[in-house]
Amino acid sequence: MNAEKIPDIIIGRLPIYLRALQHLSDTGVQTTSSQELGEIIGISAAQIRKDISQFGEFGKQGTGYSIPFLIERLRDILKVNKVWEVVIVGMGDMGHALARYNGYADRGFQIAMVFDNDPNKVGQKAGGLEILSTDVMVERIKQNRIKVAILATPASVAQAVTDQLVKAGVKSILNYAPISLNVPDDVHVQYIDPVAHLQRMTYYL
Amino acid sequence: MNAEKIPDIIIGRLPIYLRALQHLSDTGVQTTSSQELGEIIGISAAQIRKDISQFGEFGKQGTGYSIPFLIERLRDILKVNKVWEVVIVGMGDMGHALARYNGYADRGFQIAMVFDNDPNKVGQKAGGLEILSTDVMVERIKQNRIKVAILATPASVAQAVTDQLVKAGVKSILNYAPISLNVPDDVHVQYIDPVAHLQRMTYYL
């Protein structure tokens, strides 16, 4: 199957596979199996085999998957074999935590700029970067051709900021504001809502 | 179908439906359709109808869903018609942001205690709560019969802390550490990994 046609539900699992493979690689392991990956991730071995087979032949019966090869292929498919510059908008607690987060390295992303609309915050530092005014946000994003943004503003202004990000050319938005965003068809939004995750688990309590 | 047998993939979508319904309700709307919900959430109307039909007959052809009724039923199913006490472990930037996060209210959760292993942090305040030592964590969680925890520690100690949480009786863990956790079958883990979400979107760039 052409990589362009992999269903979105499978694409959503590829970063999870990549994270697990990277973890195995970091511990010095060179090969793995769908069974082992399944136990680490909590997805069935059959599902993993099916997902991975969507984009080519990798494992050999009895010898398993080559971890370095599979990592490289997944990084190619997900386009994280390069480093994407990312902006963060909203320098509250969450914005600060995300600016200082050390999990981006070697996974394809780098925080390039951070913005806030509060004049008292502009000019201060967050994660080694100077906080810029949202007044210059559209201009700076356009100049640097940045395509990826993390939204950590209050819900009340999230849609207005999103409209500006879209105007600036951003195509991928990771939204921490607890609100659904309206964007054009060519812009992707992913939501991080800790309460939705908690609610998914209380069902089983 | 019995509510106990709803597939996990559907359970995962119910909090998203609940969030969208709550948002509509907050704006004064009383009824909605699978089409309208689908446009807000980005899931097909057919999928939404199929999911909701798993736990009873709600919508009437032509009149749509009663929002207050559907909200109440979803809160029942997800068991968030009560308030669950939650502990946060790890009072770094992310832990502080999560302690101060104001999105728990009216969604079934309340941060009850926060812990850290750093003596310099113990006794300080985070989100109005005193930071407690992880030395007393198991004891306090047991005493208060707390079942839900948020893990915001470094990856290096995440598994050791998880083992303690499990020992204390915690059954639901929301993990912000970028590492897969090993837990017994009766303990549920959900992962929040911003980079995995970003990687899911770069595929489309």
Side-chain angles (χ1 to χ4, degrees):
Chain A
M1 184 185 277
N2 188 307
E4 302 305 318
K5 290 177 185 164
I6 298 177
D8 182 62
I9 186 101
I10 295 180
I11 297 301
R13 287 192 286 263
L14 301 187
I16 314 301
Y17 299 159
L18 183 54
R19 183 175 63 203
L21 290 163
Q22 197 67 61
H23 178 68
L24 286 170
S25 177
D26 290 347
T27 62
V29 184
Q30 291 290 314
T31 59
T32 188
S33 63
S34 52
Q35 284 76 12
E36 184 180 41
L37 271 180
E39 278 164 27
I40 294 172
I41 300 169
I43 295 178
S44 79
Q47 182 71 68
I48 291 172
R49 282 195 299 274
K50 198 176 157 196
D51 285 355
I52 290 178
S53 73
Q54 298 277 315
F55 45 94
E57 286 302 318
F58 288 93
K60 283 182 194 149
Q61 196 77 32
T63 64
Y65 299 112
S66 157
I67 291 176
F69 184 63
L70 198 48
I71 286 175
E72 200 186 325
R73 188 76 184 93
L74 286 173
R75 289 169 61 94
D76 281 349
I77 292 170
L78 293 171
K79 299 190 190 137
V80 290
N81 48 3
K82 54 169 281 186
V83 176
W84 294 93
E85 293 196 317
V86 179
V87 301
I88 302 176
V89 191
M91 283 292 117
D93 289 321
M94 190 60 76
H96 272 276
L98 290 164
R100 289 185 209 145
Y101 181 64
N102 62 5
Y104 305 109
D106 300 324
R107 298 180 70 195
F109 301 94
Q110 181 194 325
I111 305 303
M113 295 180 228
V114 299
F115 297 93
D116 201 282
N117 68 350
D118 179 349
N120 294 318
K121 289 184 181 169
V122 172
Q124 295 194 358
K125 293 268 181 172
L129 295 167
E130 187 184 330
I131 300 175
L132 304 174
S133 168
T134 45
D135 291 347
V136 299
M137 186 176 76
V138 171
E139 179 195 332
R140 294 295 184 89
I141 291 174
K142 274 188 183 172
Q143 276 171 355
N144 292 277
R145 298 165 191 265
I146 293 175
K147 300 294 172 201
V148 183
I150 299 177
L151 190 61
T153 67
S156 55
V157 299
Q159 184 62 52
V161 170
T162 296
D163 294 345
Q164 286 197 290
L165 291 172
V166 169
K167 188 176 152 197
V170 165
K171 299 294 180 192
S172 302
I173 300 173
L174 182 59
N175 178 26
Y176 279 78
I179 185 175
S180 292
L181 300 174
N182 294 315
V183 294
D185 285 346
D186 66 336
V187 177
H188 284 82
V189 180
Q190 287 275 306
Y191 296 86
I192 291 199
D193 176 356
V195 177
H197 286 278
L198 291 170
Q199 290 179 336
R200 178 175 187 162
M201 295 188 288
T202 46
Y203 170 76
Y204 296 99
L205 287 176
Chain B
M1 184 185 280
N2 187 307
E4 302 304 317
K5 291 177 184 165
I6 299 177
D8 182 63
I9 186 100
I10 296 179
I11 297 302
R13 286 192 286 262
L14 300 187
I16 313 301
Y17 298 160
L18 183 54
R19 182 177 63 204
L21 290 163
Q22 197 68 60
H23 177 69
L24 286 169
S25 177
D26 289 348
T27 61
V29 184
Q30 291 290 314
T31 58
T32 186
S33 63
S34 51
Q35 285 77 10
E36 185 180 40
L37 272 180
E39 277 164 29
I40 294 171
I41 300 168
I43 294 178
S44 77
Q47 182 72 66
I48 291 171
R49 281 195 301 273
K50 197 176 158 197
D51 286 354
I52 291 177
S53 72
Q54 297 279 315
F55 46 93
E57 286 300 318
F58 287 94
K60 283 182 194 151
Q61 196 78 33
T63 64
Y65 299 112
S66 157
I67 292 176
F69 185 63
L70 198 48
I71 286 175
E72 200 186 326
R73 189 75 184 92
L74 285 173
R75 289 170 61 95
D76 282 349
I77 291 170
L78 294 171
K79 300 190 188 140
V80 291
N81 48 3
K82 54 169 284 187
V83 176
W84 296 91
E85 292 195 318
V86 179
V87 301
I88 302 176
V89 192
M91 281 293 117
D93 288 321
M94 190 60 77
H96 271 277
L98 290 164
R100 290 185 210 146
Y101 182 63
N102 63 6
Y104 305 108
D106 300 324
R107 297 179 71 193
F109 301 93
Q110 182 195 325
I111 305 303
M113 294 182 232
V114 299
F115 297 95
D116 201 281
N117 69 349
D118 179 349
N120 293 319
K121 288 184 182 171
V122 172
Q124 295 195 357
K125 293 270 182 173
L129 295 167
E130 188 185 329
I131 299 175
L132 304 174
S133 168
T134 45
D135 292 345
V136 299
M137 186 177 75
V138 171
E139 178 194 333
R140 294 296 183 88
I141 291 175
K142 274 188 182 169
Q143 277 171 355
N144 292 277
R145 297 166 192 265
I146 293 175
K147 300 294 171 202
V148 183
I150 299 178
L151 190 61
T153 66
S156 55
V157 298
Q159 184 62 54
V161 170
T162 296
D163 294 344
Q164 286 197 289
L165 291 171
V166 170
K167 188 176 154 197
V170 165
K171 299 293 180 194
S172 302
I173 299 173
L174 182 59
N175 178 27
Y176 279 77
I179 185 174
S180 292
L181 300 174
N182 295 315
V183 294
D185 284 346
D186 66 334
V187 177
H188 284 82
V189 180
Q190 287 275 306
Y191 296 87
I192 292 199
D193 176 355
V195 178
H197 286 277
L198 291 171
Q199 289 180 334
R200 179 175 187 160
M201 293 189 288
T202 46
Y203 170 77
Y204 296 100
L205 285 175

